[in-house]
Structure formats: C-alpha cells, structure tokens
Amino acid sequence: MSRYTAPLTDMRFALFDVLGAESIFTALNGGDGHTRDLLDAVLDEGARFNEQVLAPLNKTGDQEGCKFEAGKVTTPKGFKEAYQQFVDGGWAGLTAPADMGGQELPEAIGAVIKEMIDSANLSWGTYPLLSHGATESLKAIGTDWQKETFLKPIVEGRWTGTMCLTEPHCGSDLGLLKTKAEPAGDGTYRISGTKIFITAGEHDLTDNIVHLVLARLPDAPAGTRGISLFIVPKFKVNQAGQTGERNAAYCGSIEHKMGIKASATCVMNFDAAEGYLIGEPNKGLAGMFIMMNTARLAVGLQGLGLMERAYQNALAYAKDRLQMRALTGPKRPDKPADPLIVHPDIRRMLLTQKAFIEAGRVLTYRACLQVDIAHRSQNEQERKNADDLLGFLTPIVKAMMTELAVECCYHAQQVFGGHGYIQEWGMEQLARDARITTIYEGTTGIQALDLIGRKIMQLQGAGLRLFAAEIGEFCASATGDAAAFAATLGALTQEWVGLTQSIGAKAAKNPDELGAAATDYLFYSGYISMAYALAQSVAKSQVRGGDFHTSKLATTRFYFDRILPRVAQHKAAVQSGADNLMQLDEALFG
Amino acid sequence: MSRYTAPLTDMRFALFDVLGAESIFTALNGGDGHTRDLLDAVLDEGARFNEQVLAPLNKTGDQEGCKFEAGKVTTPKGFKEAYQQFVDGGWAGLTAPADMGGQELPEAIGAVIKEMIDSANLSWGTYPLLSHGATESLKAIGTDWQKETFLKPIVEGRWTGTMCLTEPHCGSDLGLLKTKAEPAGDGTYRISGTKIFITAGEHDLTDNIVHLVLARLPDAPAGTRGISLFIVPKFKVNQAGQTGERNAAYCGSIEHKMGIKASATCVMNFDAAEGYLIGEPNKGLAGMFIMMNTARLAVGLQGLGLMERAYQNALAYAKDRLQMRALTGPKRPDKPADPLIVHPDIRRMLLTQKAFIEAGRVLTYRACLQVDIAHRSQNEQERKNADDLLGFLTPIVKAMMTELAVECCYHAQQVFGGHGYIQEWGMEQLARDARITTIYEGTTGIQALDLIGRKIMQLQGAGLRLFAAEIGEFCASATGDAAAFAATLGALTQEWVGLTQSIGAKAAKNPDELGAAATDYLFYSGYISMAYALAQSVAKSQVRGGDFHTSKLATTRFYFDRILPRVAQHKAAVQSGADNLMQLDEALFG
C-alpha cells in the first residue's frame, strides 16, 4: 500500500514564508487575525486526521468501489465513519461563515487541508468537495431563507451539495441543456430532465443532499442566456424548513470509471422534482460559476495532492530498491547493488516531481489566497486586483496542476518499474485517479479557452498585467541565489507579454487563432508562473539557509535547466498559427 | 465499445511506397520473392481476422480478466477459440522457417499483422507475442534436436513460449538473479527459483508451454557473466521428444494490474524443474537478448497499434459529437451545435495522434525490415549495416512508440471528455493497456541507456552514422513538397550528430553524463527520426498526389510546426549536464 505523510514543512513554507499569508490574514481581519499558533494547530490536526483516518481507506475504497442497488449508493467500508469524524472534527465548516456555524478560517488554510485530503483519499474527498462549492454559491446568491435552510446543514456537515450541469448531449456546451423548470405557482418549481456525471449525486454519508441544478424556465431564451439555477434537495424541504418526503430526484445508475471508483458518479433523473429558484431567472450560469470557480481551484489542489503522494512513494522506493551500480562506481559496496536513487535518470524523474510539487504548491496556495483577499479586503482596489489575479490564475492552476499530476504519476510508475503497474504498490491507482482531473470541471482545453479568450482578451489582460508587473518587481530586486534566476525569468516574462499581444493581433483577423494558441499558451504561461514560484521560494529559503535552502536551490536549478525550456515548444506552436490545424478538410483526417 | 478497422491503405503506403519493401523482399529472395499479390492477400486476410475475431474480444477480455485457481489460469471467454482460429489460419508460423512448418514470410509483413493484433486486442496478442521471441532464440542457438522438439510445436501453434528473466529482487538488473540450475547428470538440469511478471507463464490456450529461463549453473561467475539459458517445458519432454508428466514449473499467482487484464502475468515457481541448457554455459544473456530484441520491436508495435485504435475512435467521436459553435461562426447551422472537429484544439489533439501514427508506422516497419535484411541478405556489408541500423533503431522505436502511445491515449480520452473516463467507450481501457508498454521489456530509461551507452558509445555510433548519412542524402535530393521540410531536417540532423559527440566528450570525464543525457537524447533522436519518416512519406505521396498527398502534407506540416519544436527542450536538458541531477544529496530529496 502507498504511504502518506502530510508535508507540513513545505506547506507552511509556501503559505507563510513565500506568500506571507500570516500578515495578509491579520490585515484582512483588521489586525485581529487568527494567530499563527492556532493555524499551525489546525494544520497539525488536519495532518493527523488525513494520515490516520482517510489515507488508509484509499486502497480499499478503490478495490470496493461504490455499489448501486435499487436507487441507492453504498460507499466503501469506512467512508461513512470517516465522514462522521470529519464532521465531528469541525472540518466540514472550516472556512464557512461563522453565522452559519462555520469557523470562518481563511480559504487558503482550507486549501492546505484540501491538499491533504486529496493526497490521502481523492475519492473520499469528492463528497465534501462539492459542498464547499455549493456553500459559495448559496452564500453569494441565496436568500436568507435559503441560507438558513440549505446552507446551514451543509456547513454543519449534515447534508452535502452537488452541482448538476452536464446532460447526455452537453458537457462543455451548456447552451444546449434541456432540463426544464416549471413554476408550480407556490413559489416552487418542478424540475425535469437527466443529468449525468454528477459527483456525489447519491450516497449514504448524509441524510439529505442539496442539488444545485441548471434548468430552463418556460419561454427562456435559447442558449446560455436562458439558464436558471435551482436548489433541488433529495428530500423535500418545506417553507418552514422542515425536511419531508423523498423528492423525485433519483440516481438512475453510477458510472464504471477508470479511477476514483469510490466516488459515486451518478446519472440523476429529475422527474418533476420540487425545487427553488436561486438567484435571478436566466442568470443561472453566473451563480453556477461561483461554484465552478471554487471547484476548479479544488481540482487544482487534487492534482497537487496526487503529485505529493506519488512523489513520496516513488522517493521511498528509489531509496530502498537496489538495482544496478552507479555509472561512476559502486555507492553501496556493502550491498549487492546501489539504490535506484544513484541513477541520473531516476533522479531526473524524482526532481521533476519535486519541482512540480514545490512550484505548484506556491502557485496554487497563491490563487487560494486571492479568494480571501477578494472577499475580505477593506480596500476596493485590493479586492479588484485580487479578483483579477484569481480569475487569471484559476485556469492556469486547474490545468497545470492536473496535467502535471498525470505526468507525475507517470514518473512515479516508471520509478517503480513493473511494480508501478500492479495494484499492490498503489501507484497505478494514483495514475487512474489523476486521469479524471484534466477532464472534470472543464477540460484542459476549456481552461485554455477561459484563459486566453475570457481572462486575457475579454478582460484585457488585467490579471496578466498585474502578475507580470509583480514578477518584474521581484526580478528587479532579487538578491543572492534568487538573482541567478531573475535574468531568465524577467526576460521570459517580457516575452510572455509580447506573445500575448501577438495572439491578440492575429485573433482580431481570425478568431480560430485564439483556439489554435490556447492550450500551448496555457502551458507556456504555466511553466513561467511556476518558475516564478520557485524563484520566490529561493528568495525566501535563502533567508532560512541550511539544508532546506540547499534543497530548494537544487530543485529550482533543475527546473530552470530542464523543465523551463519546455516553453520553447509551446511558443513555437503558438507562433505557428492556426493554418496548420485548420487547413485539412475533416474528410481527410482518416 | 471502441471500433477498429485495419488501416490497410496507410500500412501499404508505409511498407511498399515509402520503404520499398517489395523490391527488398524480391532481392532478399534472389529475385524470386513473394509476390505483392500474395502479400496483399495476407494483409487483407489479417485485417479480417483481427477486425472480426480479436477486436470484439477486447472489451470483454478486459472486463473478465484472467482467472487463477488451483495453479491454473483461465483466459477470458473466446480467447481459446480465437487462438485456435489464429493457428488454423496459419498465423502462428507466419514468419517462421519453412523447415519448421512456417510460412517464412518476411518479418516486416509479420510486423504489419502484429500491429493489427495489437490494435484489435493487446492482451490477447501477448500470448503469441512471446512465442515469436522464443522462436528467434531457438532458431539462433538451439540444437537440431531442440528445434525439432520445442520450436516446431511453437511454429505449429500447438505450444507457446515465455521468457523468464525477472525475479522479485531484480528487474532491470539481471546480474542479481538467483535462480539455480543443477546438472542432473543425464544431460538435463534441475531449475529452482522464482520468476515474476512472466507474461503468458500459464494459460489454457495450448497443451504445453516452453519457458526460456535464465539461471545460474553451480560455480558460475557472479553478475551477468554467470547466467545461462534453459528450456523448461510445462510438461516434460524426453530425449525422444515425447511429452510426459507435469514439470515442476508452476504458476503461483497472477498479478492484478492496471490494464492488459486478459494477459496472464504470472509468478512462476521452478522447483527442481527439468530443463535443457540452450546455447553455451554462462552466455545465456546473449541468447535471451535475441528474444528480447524481437520483443522490444514487438512492444513498439504495441504502441503503434494502440495509437491507431485510439485515434480511430477519437476521430469518429470528434466528427459525431456536437458541442459549441466554431469560433469563426456556425459550420452546421442546421444542427444545434458544430461537431467537435471544427475546434482548433480538438484538431491539435487529433493531428498529434495522426502524425505520431503515420511517422511511427514508417519508422517501426523500417526497423522490422532491417531484421529481414540482416538475416537474409547475400551481401555481408548489407547485413552488417542492417544489423547496425536495427540495433540503433530498436530502442528508439520501443521507447518512442510506447511513450507516444501513452500520450495518444491521453489525447483520445481528452477528445471524449468525461466519456473518455468511463468504461463504456473503451478509451480508458486503451490508456490502461498502453501504460505497461513503457515499462515491460525494458523501461524507457533502459532503452535510453541502451541507445546512448551501447548503441552509440560502445558501438561508436555505427547506426547513427548510417542513419544520418541517409537523411543527409534524402535532404540533398528532396524535391517538390518534400524539399520544404529538407532544410529543417538536414540542419537538425547535423545538430544531432554534434550533440551526440558532445555527450561523448562529457561522458569521457564523467560517466554520469551518459545517464543524465540518456532519456532526453532518446526523445530528441526519436522526434528527428519521425520527422524524417514524415518527410519521406511526403516525398512518396507527392508522386501519388490527390487527397492522400494533401493529407500527408498537412500532417507533416503540423508535425514540423508543432511537434518537432519539442527537440529544443530535450537538447537544452542534454546540454545542461549532469550536475543539476547529481548535486542534491539523497537525504535532501524530501
């Protein structure tokens, strides 16, 4: 079985040393923030829960999977008990509003705990994951009654949430959705339609489930402007807030998937199910996107969590497994062979993982920190900047962390050799679980279009400008070991801005240029953003010095030497334009 | 379920048009070759068998898997019957010597049939796969009696073969192996030890199984120079060639794997099992490597076959699935949305697959053609050149086709979105099956060391020199559309030779430089080799003209614009040297 120990040292380094979260939290709370002692205790407690309760259920959960019988989903052994411990420990409402019963800790702290959950047990983590998104939507656009009635039980962990978007004929293209909502005349609606790929749509962890469902009102305009959002509980809730009879929102079946087998992926049939409109009619997508953006960051954290667990196990195996002698002569002459870690190519795979994780952790926590600032800063400009940065970073974090998680799990399996392909060691499960992350909550291609189309072109690159300016300032003032990376980083960042403008110019003449550049542009942006995260880390670790700095410096040097050059291919692809993609008639593809 | 149609047009184009196989076959047979009509009929028949018999068993085989009970392995429903049809159709002895009952068709023709098998049903294909390797070893180093006794039944399809190398404590490092062979005094040996990861080590397709087992004779030198090769049949065979009682070669269990679930991966326990020495004492590795090299090309073909099936299905889905409008405005205004294939990013993923397949097919068949020339040419220099080229191309083909198969299946899943992650559509099975190919028969890292360490450094780059000279000649004489690619390709090939020399120079001072460069050097070499394969294809397709040429040209342009730039990162990594990998103390990895 694979092991997991929460990497508290690096988590704290990323959040507090590199990102200065403590002073940010204090400022957001008007000088009266949660103390570092308290936050450290929360992280310690989170580590214990995840290492001891969730991690051991990861393999058995995969092997058992969810069972579906007579409309009911049974989660694997131990899942329900673990959920109860999660609730009892106060984790369900960790970042939720105090007036709803939550602890109102910063989202960035919630992110660290989420990373642990995703390392420990990705499948299990999908049940509370969507509750968090539902919380955000309800908080933002729910009425007081809706908050009291639906949000509170979620915060208390008594109910969970879902997001019901996808239908059989529409995934990325929500404009096509057909689910209908008819007003019942009493303020409620009757929702009818079929939703697929609904994570945690049905399960046995809680008494009730709150579905947030996209549907069309009668006479709604076609396309995305005619979509409204509805609250549809599994068990009906009346105006007095009392839970009553079973609603006509039934799970029709669960999917048989490549991985996350302990996460119930449901087909949900709504058959004139009773629901409540949330937010304004026909503006449901906006409400759903509050949830979706939260979910996208959460999926980025899933990628990070998977990378961490894959790396820990690959590293341990590389230190333990004896195979061949070092090319420079025996390193363990007392043993029949040297450990794998003496071999340069094994180190290349380990360092790739290490660099992805350490850069990714700074970048991902950074994005989550913007949520706190955007929600809670007293300063309007600060809130706007945080929001712009958050919007800009979200598709990068979601896509990069998940794509690199796939790569990381790949490397981990390679380090294990044949043992990486069998169930015994757990690496193949991580690889299967990771494979969903580049797909759900918007594929990498959708993230790429969101970045270049919406966050760059529509919003005139506000987020990129802020980020590039910040990198410029960092490079200008970098000292010591960090200065060694500043020259490369600074030049690349200028190139980034230039490349962005060149795409805009081409897209003005041919919109296909946007789509043709999108994914490569995202990777290009991602690798530079991660280079910045590592350079920042070196700037902070050099203050600390010692082994910690030595390790951070070597990781950063590796990244700049061997990973960052990947930008060249992505730049070349972007610059090559759309013709090489669009010219071939579809009949001639094969 | 996923579909498969053998791509006969492109297969024939690669083999006959690009590689000129017909005239090579004729020359090898002294002017009296198998006629093109015959070969075409074989390919047509192979397509029928694979599409109709093997392809439909792929999904059910994955779902059922192999069963292990009381020492016996039961293959999934239909596997045994399909194997009988395979034998009845004459496929088992397709390329085997005529005097052993084979049809002695060229290995390159066998390769095309193998590609089909691997597309149709990778798991099923692993049973005959190792018979082919065993055939090669027995042919090369078996005594007449051994050939008559063990090779003939394999050629006839009555028995299958295995290769037993790996032990629990040694995978890549065979020098550590412990299995013992004691002379029994009657010319036979008693083999004792445990082998793991033995593909087709036990099954129900044939009456007997011929294990080729690496073991140590008493007093054999330590390390790889003390390893001998033994024939150990499942049922004993006496000196008169009669099959007798059960030998003490038992399957102890089968592995539970990520994929190729219908392929029995066995733990084999040899308990003083009766065996025969094959080849010279202590030179067993050489005999095994005859088999291993065959198997490596075969695994390269597995990668190719998987890519083809993934692409066919992704393409069909992309043409069929309606999702969003083209960025340039509706392309199917009559429908609620445009098909996926209008979107640039979907085309990027499809063209990536198409380019990998078409380049890979030429490169892989090319390597297989060298087997025919190396074995059968009348001209000694021609045989030597073919052997040098084969040795050089084998690690490139094995590693690139399998690594790109992993990538290809990744893209195919992305094109399917959420549907790519569920079992229904078959894409996730292809991805799981593909994942073993970069591991077995030598991981990518092992291939990379074989290329730079053995094929380049030890053999003084004979294969590279031949290949680079040939590319140089091609570029110098390229005309028409092919000339457009020759400039880039020619310059890169010169750079390739220079980069190779620079590694040699650095490695002379520090052997770790070889290991530090190996994998990136392999990818670098692979992408250039595939660029050459595509440029050659254009040179030949322009003769044919029409849609076929249009498609080949667009694919090649895409590859040169968007894939070939990947060489830059690999070159940078190679040039960055070993320090960035070796400097970090293993204690500081985490």
Side-chain angles (χ1 to χ4, degrees):
Chain A
M1 205 182 78
S2 79
R3 62 185 89 184
Y4 174 64
T5 308
L8 286 168
T9 305
D10 200 63
M11 288 171 151
R12 288 184 172 124
F13 173 75
L15 192 60
F16 296 117
D17 293 39
V18 181
L19 300 171
E22 192 177 2
S23 59
I24 294 174
F25 295 154
T26 306
L28 292 179
N29 284 314
D32 185 29
H34 302 286
T35 65
R36 174 71 191 265
D37 280 355
L38 170 78
L39 298 179
D40 275 337
V42 168
L43 297 182
D44 284 336
E45 199 47 52
R48 243 189 312 275
F49 173 74
N50 281 289
E51 293 167 4
Q52 294 172 10
V53 179
L54 293 187
L57 297 175
N58 194 42
K59 188 179 180 179
T60 51
D62 180 60
Q63 288 175 331
E64 272 184 58
C66 283
K67 306 266 186 302
F68 177 76
E69 220 178 75
K72 292 195 175 167
V73 169
T74 309
T75 56
K77 241 181 259 111
F79 270 44
K80 194 177 162 74
E81 293 73 16
Y83 185 78
Q84 198 49 53
Q85 285 187 255
F86 177 80
V87 172
D88 293 345
W91 301 109
L94 190 70
T95 60
D99 59 4
M100 289 290 129
Q103 301 188 48
E104 212 160 328
L105 284 181
E107 290 293 337
I109 294 292
V112 181
I113 300 295
K114 265 195 193 133
E115 186 204 312
M116 294 182 198
I117 295 174
D118 296 326
S119 288
N121 198 324
L122 194 80
S123 281
W124 186 92
T126 61
Y127 296 95
L129 186 149
L130 294 166
S131 293
H132 184 226
T135 300
E136 292 304 303
S137 284
L138 281 160
K139 235 167 72 179
I141 59 167
T143 63
D144 287 345
W145 176 79
Q146 288 171 341
K147 288 183 200 174
E148 189 64 30
T149 308
F150 297 105
L151 178 51
K152 222 169 188 177
I154 291 176
V155 170
E156 291 166 355
R158 295 189 290 115
W159 300 357
T160 61
T162 76
M163 51 197 295
C164 300
L165 290 80
T166 304
E167 299 181 4
H169 62 289
C170 71
S172 303
D173 189 357
L174 293 170
L176 299 176
L177 76 81
K178 292 178 181 167
T179 297
K180 286 197 166 67
E182 301 272 350
D186 61 354
T188 66
Y189 293 80
R190 295 292 169 269
I191 317 293
S192 300
T194 298
K195 297 284 180 180
I196 64 169
F197 300 157
I198 307 308
T199 299
E202 175 65 30
H203 60 74
D204 56 1
L205 303 183
T206 56
D207 297 336
N208 205 355
I209 298 171
V210 180
H211 303 289
L212 293 191
V213 184
L214 290 180
R216 290 186 188 283
L217 290 166
D219 308 320
T224 55
R225 284 165 203 196
I227 299 175
S228 305
L229 185 60
F230 298 87
I231 300 171
V232 184
K234 174 178 167 183
F235 285 93
K236 289 183 190 174
V237 180
N238 68 15
Q239 309 273 355
Q242 293 160 320
T243 305
E245 61 181 348
R246 188 70 164 83
N247 206 350
Y250 286 102
C251 174
S253 62
I254 60 174
E255 303 292 349
H256 299 282
K257 309 185 298 296
M258 183 180 191
I260 56 165
K261 288 176 188 278
S263 171
T265 306
C266 303
V267 173
M268 293 301 302
N269 298 313
F270 297 93
D271 186 12
E274 184 180 286
Y276 297 92
L277 178 70
I278 171 169
E280 293 177 50
N282 299 330
K283 300 214 168 144
L285 268 195
M288 185 56 96
F289 261 85
I290 297 168
M291 181 161 187
M292 179 63 98
N293 284 328
T294 303
R296 285 178 175 176
L297 282 183
V299 176
L301 284 162
Q302 292 186 332
L304 180 60
L306 288 166
M307 288 199 273
E308 176 65 38
R309 188 162 189 169
Y311 176 61
Q312 286 187 15
N313 286 275
L315 176 59
Y317 191 79
K319 286 179 176 177
D320 187 57
R321 172 86 170 172
L322 305 176
Q323 208 76 179
M324 301 204 283
R325 290 295 179 190
L327 292 165
T328 51
K331 293 288 171 280
R332 301 281 193 286
D334 55 315
K335 296 194 168 170
D338 289 332
L340 287 177
I341 198 168
V342 305
H343 304 302
D345 197 55
I346 296 287
R347 289 176 156 251
R348 179 186 63 80
M349 293 190 280
L350 293 173
L351 283 165
T352 300
Q353 297 174 66
K354 186 173 193 294
F356 287 171
I357 292 163
E358 294 181 14
R361 185 167 287 134
V362 170
L363 191 66
T364 306
Y365 290 0
R366 164 84 202 248
C368 297
L369 207 45
Q370 303 315 302
V371 178
D372 290 311
I373 302 170
H375 284 182
R376 295 161 63 180
S377 172
Q378 307 296 315
N379 179 311
E380 191 185 332
Q381 186 62 43
E382 226 176 67
R383 284 201 305 275
K384 184 183 177 320
N385 286 354
D387 201 54
D388 284 343
L389 260 179
L390 175 61
F392 171 71
L393 289 175
T394 297
I396 295 178
V397 164
K398 198 283 183 181
M400 289 303 287
M401 291 304 101
T402 59
E403 292 282 347
L404 298 182
V406 170
E407 182 178 337
C408 228
C409 291
Y410 168 85
H411 291 308
Q413 286 188 284
Q414 286 300 114
V415 170
F416 274 85
H419 299 277
Y421 196 67
I422 60 175
Q423 290 173 10
E424 190 178 343
W425 293 85
M427 293 304 98
E428 65 87 32
Q429 183 193 345
L430 295 181
R432 285 186 289 104
D433 287 354
R435 193 62 194 82
I436 188 58
T437 62
T438 69
I439 297 174
Y440 65 9
E441 315 307 349
T443 62
T444 299
I446 293 294
Q447 303 304 320
L449 280 177
D450 178 50
L451 177 66
I452 191 76
R454 182 166 163 73
K455 305 301 170 50
I456 300 284
M457 296 302 154
Q458 279 182 36
L459 303 179
Q460 284 145 10
L464 172 60
R465 271 203 311 279
L466 286 167
F467 199 57
E470 182 188 311
I471 299 177
E473 278 167 39
F474 169 83
C475 291
S477 64
T479 59
D481 287 329
F485 304 109
T488 306
L489 179 61
L492 257 180
T493 305
Q494 288 192 328
E495 186 190 279
W496 186 10
V497 173
L499 189 70
T500 308
Q501 289 162 346
S502 77
I503 298 171
K506 281 199 281 188
K509 293 179 203 146
N510 175 11
D512 273 338
E513 291 287 346
L514 274 192
T519 295
D520 283 290
Y521 178 76
L522 185 142
F523 276 106
Y524 176 89
S525 304
Y527 285 119
I528 298 174
S529 304
M530 289 170 62
Y532 173 48
L534 284 173
Q536 283 181 290
S537 302
V538 166
K540 296 299 179 182
S541 72
Q542 67 192 357
V543 179
R544 189 183 289 205
D547 284 350
F548 189 84
H549 177 56
T550 302
S551 174
K552 208 53 95 175
L553 185 60
T555 307
T556 305
R557 187 166 289 153
F558 166 83
Y559 182 90
F560 272 73
D561 279 358
R562 287 179 172 258
I563 302 294
L564 192 53
R566 294 184 185 186
V567 294
Q569 81 181 67
H570 295 298
K571 181 181 157 197
V574 166
Q575 290 179 326
S576 76
D579 280 358
N580 55 30
L581 298 179
M582 305 311 293
Q583 65 187 357
L584 188 63
D585 190 276
E586 81 172 61
L588 301 186
F589 270 72
Chain B
M1 204 183 81
S2 80
R3 62 184 88 183
Y4 175 63
T5 308
L8 286 167
T9 304
D10 200 63
M11 288 170 151
R12 288 183 172 124
F13 173 75
L15 192 61
F16 296 118
D17 292 39
V18 180
L19 299 171
E22 192 177 359
S23 59
I24 293 174
F25 296 154
T26 307
L28 291 180
N29 284 311
D32 184 29
H34 302 285
T35 65
R36 173 72 191 263
D37 279 358
L38 169 78
L39 299 179
D40 276 337
V42 168
L43 297 182
D44 285 336
E45 198 47 50
R48 243 189 313 275
F49 173 74
N50 281 290
E51 293 166 3
Q52 295 174 7
V53 178
L54 294 187
L57 298 175
N58 194 42
K59 188 178 179 180
T60 51
D62 180 60
Q63 289 175 331
E64 274 185 56
C66 283
K67 306 265 186 301
F68 177 75
E69 221 179 71
K72 291 193 177 171
V73 169
T74 310
T75 56
K77 240 180 257 118
F79 269 45
K80 194 178 160 75
E81 293 72 18
Y83 184 78
Q84 198 50 53
Q85 283 186 260
F86 176 79
V87 172
D88 294 345
W91 301 110
L94 191 70
T95 59
D99 58 5
M100 290 290 128
Q103 300 187 47
E104 212 161 327
L105 284 181
E107 290 293 336
I109 293 293
V112 181
I113 300 296
K114 266 196 192 132
E115 185 203 313
M116 294 182 198
I117 293 173
D118 296 326
S119 288
N121 198 322
L122 194 79
S123 280
W124 186 92
T126 60
Y127 296 95
L129 185 150
L130 293 167
S131 294
H132 184 227
T135 301
E136 292 304 305
S137 284
L138 281 160
K139 236 167 71 179
I141 59 166
T143 63
D144 286 346
W145 177 79
Q146 289 171 340
K147 289 184 199 173
E148 188 65 30
T149 308
F150 298 104
L151 179 50
K152 220 169 189 176
I154 291 176
V155 171
E156 290 167 357
R158 294 189 292 115
W159 300 356
T160 61
T162 75
M163 51 198 294
C164 299
L165 290 80
T166 303
E167 298 181 6
H169 62 289
C170 72
S172 304
D173 189 357
L174 293 172
L176 299 176
L177 76 80
K178 292 178 182 168
T179 297
K180 287 198 165 65
E182 301 273 348
D186 61 353
T188 67
Y189 294 80
R190 296 291 169 270
I191 317 293
S192 298
T194 299
K195 298 285 181 178
I196 64 168
F197 299 158
I198 307 308
T199 299
E202 175 63 32
H203 60 75
D204 57 359
L205 303 183
T206 56
D207 297 335
N208 205 356
I209 299 172
V210 179
H211 303 290
L212 292 192
V213 184
L214 289 180
R216 291 187 187 282
L217 289 167
D219 307 318
T224 54
R225 284 168 202 192
I227 299 175
S228 305
L229 186 60
F230 298 87
I231 301 171
V232 183
K234 174 179 170 183
F235 285 93
K236 290 184 190 173
V237 181
N238 68 15
Q239 309 274 352
Q242 291 159 324
T243 306
E245 61 182 350
R246 187 70 162 84
N247 207 348
Y250 286 101
C251 175
S253 62
I254 60 175
E255 304 292 347
H256 300 281
K257 307 185 300 294
M258 182 180 192
I260 55 164
K261 289 175 187 279
S263 171
T265 305
C266 304
V267 172
M268 294 300 301
N269 298 314
F270 297 93
D271 186 12
E274 184 179 289
Y276 298 92
L277 178 71
I278 171 171
E280 292 176 50
N282 299 330
K283 301 217 167 140
L285 269 195
M288 185 57 95
F289 261 86
I290 297 169
M291 184 162 185
M292 179 62 97
N293 284 327
T294 304
R296 286 179 174 174
L297 282 183
V299 176
L301 284 162
Q302 291 186 333
L304 180 61
L306 288 166
M307 291 200 271
E308 177 66 38
R309 189 162 187 169
Y311 176 60
Q312 286 187 16
N313 286 275
L315 176 60
Y317 191 79
K319 287 180 176 177
D320 187 56
R321 173 86 169 172
L322 305 176
Q323 208 75 179
M324 301 204 284
R325 290 297 181 189
L327 292 165
T328 51
K331 295 287 171 284
R332 301 281 192 288
D334 54 316
K335 299 200 167 163
D338 290 333
L340 288 178
I341 198 169
V342 307
H343 304 304
D345 197 53
I346 296 286
R347 287 174 157 252
R348 180 186 62 81
M349 293 189 279
L350 293 173
L351 283 165
T352 300
Q353 298 175 65
K354 186 172 192 290
F356 287 171
I357 292 163
E358 294 180 13
R361 185 167 285 134
V362 169
L363 190 66
T364 306
Y365 290 1
R366 164 82 201 250
C368 298
L369 208 45
Q370 303 315 303
V371 178
D372 290 311
I373 301 170
H375 284 181
R376 294 159 65 179
S377 172
Q378 306 296 314
N379 180 310
E380 192 186 330
Q381 186 62 43
E382 226 175 66
R383 285 199 307 273
K384 182 181 179 323
N385 286 354
D387 200 54
D388 284 342
L389 260 179
L390 175 61
F392 171 71
L393 290 175
T394 297
I396 296 178
V397 164
K398 198 283 182 181
M400 290 303 287
M401 291 305 99
T402 59
E403 292 283 345
L404 299 181
V406 170
E407 181 178 339
C408 226
C409 291
Y410 169 86
H411 292 309
Q413 286 188 283
Q414 286 300 112
V415 169
F416 273 84
H419 299 278
Y421 196 67
I422 60 173
Q423 289 173 11
E424 190 178 343
W425 293 85
M427 292 304 99
E428 64 87 34
Q429 183 193 345
L430 294 181
R432 285 186 290 103
D433 287 353
R435 192 62 193 82
I436 188 58
T437 62
T438 69
I439 297 173
Y440 65 9
E441 316 306 351
T443 62
T444 299
I446 293 295
Q447 304 304 319
L449 279 177
D450 179 51
L451 177 65
I452 191 76
R454 184 167 161 73
K455 305 301 170 50
I456 300 283
M457 296 302 153
Q458 279 182 36
L459 304 179
Q460 284 145 11
L464 172 60
R465 273 203 308 280
L466 286 168
F467 199 56
E470 182 189 311
I471 300 178
E473 277 168 40
F474 169 83
C475 291
S477 64
T479 59
D481 287 328
F485 303 109
T488 305
L489 178 62
L492 258 179
T493 304
Q494 288 191 328
E495 187 190 278
W496 186 10
V497 173
L499 189 70
T500 309
Q501 289 162 345
S502 76
I503 299 171
K506 281 199 281 189
K509 291 179 205 145
N510 175 9
D512 272 339
E513 291 286 347
L514 274 191
T519 295
D520 282 288
Y521 178 76
L522 186 143
F523 276 106
Y524 177 89
S525 304
Y527 285 119
I528 297 175
S529 304
M530 288 170 63
Y532 173 47
L534 284 173
Q536 283 182 290
S537 301
V538 167
K540 296 300 179 179
S541 72
Q542 66 193 357
V543 179
R544 193 184 285 203
D547 284 349
F548 188 84
H549 177 56
T550 302
S551 175
K552 208 51 96 176
L553 185 59
T555 306
T556 305
R557 188 166 289 154
F558 166 82
Y559 182 90
F560 273 71
D561 280 359
R562 286 179 173 259
I563 302 294
L564 192 52
R566 294 184 184 187
V567 293
Q569 80 179 70
H570 296 299
K571 182 181 156 197
V574 166
Q575 290 178 327
S576 77
D579 279 358
N580 54 29
L581 299 179
M582 305 312 292
Q583 67 188 357
L584 188 62
D585 189 275
E586 81 173 61
L588 302 186
F589 271 72

